[in-house]
């Protein structure tokens, strides 16, 4: 059981490596004088949140104390780890801090009747717990994997996380094993997490893991999606995560949703106020059928539906094999003229991490 004294000791040890903590968990920021500056506790680019890199171990002006000038939030380096990693249980926070400090993990607590029961496999709660225990992608093999697919702009990608040891079964005849994975949050139109999607990767991030099924989803998926950016009145929706992130290289300011399959794309739910929907096609019969169904549903709801067709199999194929300039040119002539300035100008946005 973690005591207050243990927490104080961890906080003190972290303070001795305050800049290293910031470089690990707030990698989008940078040092300026005695402070580390970043956009917010979720590692967005900017200068609103500042962390003290020098000062006494405790008390006023202590090293490791941080404040977000925009929200008034504040805390110490343990709070920073908890928030940036999405952890709710302090034991998980302490374990993460000990791992960073290369300290042994604390012995497991004895069984307790009050401990939360295991979540049913594949349930919404299991998806929530998996995403909560995963880590930011910056500097991890997930970022390497996406860069290898030509995807370098990862703004508004808080729906993606990294799990270093996510359990999978290589095939029906093999026992479960742990592999690094990209974890994606599946959310409804209000932003509530309903499921999670796992993409298992090679240890170096060069590609997907060499297993029978390197992608699997869990939780409540129908009508929901992995989302990038906040939707107001225009949205682009398609099947795959990499497909939509590739398209976002050409349309960096356009909110996007990855429904994860053709069937789920056809059933995508519409947010209030949506007036134009771009449907990113995969060049196969299932993608064409999904586009037909989704277009009919959109028109019935009073939403303009515009298909976006790739030159090759999908937009990630276009990005990797034809290049970003060709992708931009092909997309530009397919979108509404008023959306060129609004969503395409200035692409690509600065990289994060």
């Amino acid at each position: 059981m973690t005591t207050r004294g243990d927490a104080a000791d961890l906080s003190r040890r972290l303070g001795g490596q305050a800049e290293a903590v910031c470089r690990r968990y707030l990698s989008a920021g940078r040092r300026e004088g005695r402070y580390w500056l970043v956009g917010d506790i979720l590692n967005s680019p900017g200068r609103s949140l500042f962390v003290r890199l020098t000062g006494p171990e405790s008390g006023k002006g202590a090293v490791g104390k941080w404040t977000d000038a925009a929200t008034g939030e504040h805390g110490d380096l343990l709070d920073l780890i908890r928030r940036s990693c999405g952890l709710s249980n302090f034991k998980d926070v302490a374990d993460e801090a000990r791992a960073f400090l290369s300290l042994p993990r604390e012995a497991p607590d004895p069984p307790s009747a009050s401990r939360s029961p295991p979540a049913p496999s594949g349930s919404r709660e299991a998806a929530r717990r998996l995403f909560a225990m995963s880590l930011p992608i910056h500097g991890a093999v997930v970022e390497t994997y996406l860069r290898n697919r030509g995807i370098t702009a990862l703004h508004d990608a808080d729906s993606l996380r990294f799990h270093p040891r996510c359990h999978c079964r290589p095939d029906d005849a093999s026992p479960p094993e742990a592999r690094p994975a990209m974890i994606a949050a599946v959310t409804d139109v209000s932003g509530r997490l309903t499921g999670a999607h796992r993409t298992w990767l090679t240890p170096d991030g060069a590609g997907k893991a060499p297993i029978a099924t390197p992608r699997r989803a869990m939780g409540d998926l129908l009508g929901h999606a992995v989302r990038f950016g906040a939707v107001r009145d225009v949205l682009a929706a398609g099947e795959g995560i990499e497909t939509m992130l590739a398209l976002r290289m050409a349309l960096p300011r356009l909110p996007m949703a990855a429904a994860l399959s053709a069937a789920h794309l056809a059933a995508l739910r519409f947010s209030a106020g949506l007036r134009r929907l771009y449907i990113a096609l995969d060049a196969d019969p299932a993608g064409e059928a999904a586009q037909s169904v989704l277009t009919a549903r959109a028109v019935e709801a009073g939403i303009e539906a515009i298909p976006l067709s790739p030159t090759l199999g999908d937009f990630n194929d276009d990005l990797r094999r034809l290049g970003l300039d060709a992708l931009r040119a092909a997309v530009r002539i397919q979108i509404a003229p008023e959306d060129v300035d609004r969503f395409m100008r200035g692409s690509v946005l600065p990289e994060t991490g």
Side-chain angles (χ1 to χ4, degrees), residues 23-35:
R23 290 189 182 279
R24 170 64 179 86
Y25 297 99
L26 297 177
S27 57
R30 65 178 185 177
R31 179 169 187 157
E32 292 194 15
R34 295 176 297 168
Y35 300 95

Side-chain angles (χ1 to χ4, degrees), residues 27-28 45 138 143 147 150-155 249 348-353:
S27 57
H138 301 296
E143 186 174 27
R147 288 178 183 274
I151 299 163
T152 59
L154 296 174
H155 56 288
M249 292 285 292
V348 170
L349 291 182
E351 298 180 16
T352 58

Side-chain angles (χ1 to χ4, degrees), residues 297-319:
R297 291 182 53 238
V299 171
E300 184 178 358
I303 299 168
E304 180 185 13
I306 299 177
L308 296 179
S309 299
T311 303
L312 302 174
D314 60 44
F315 286 108
N316 195 224
D317 287 344
D318 288 1
L319 176 62

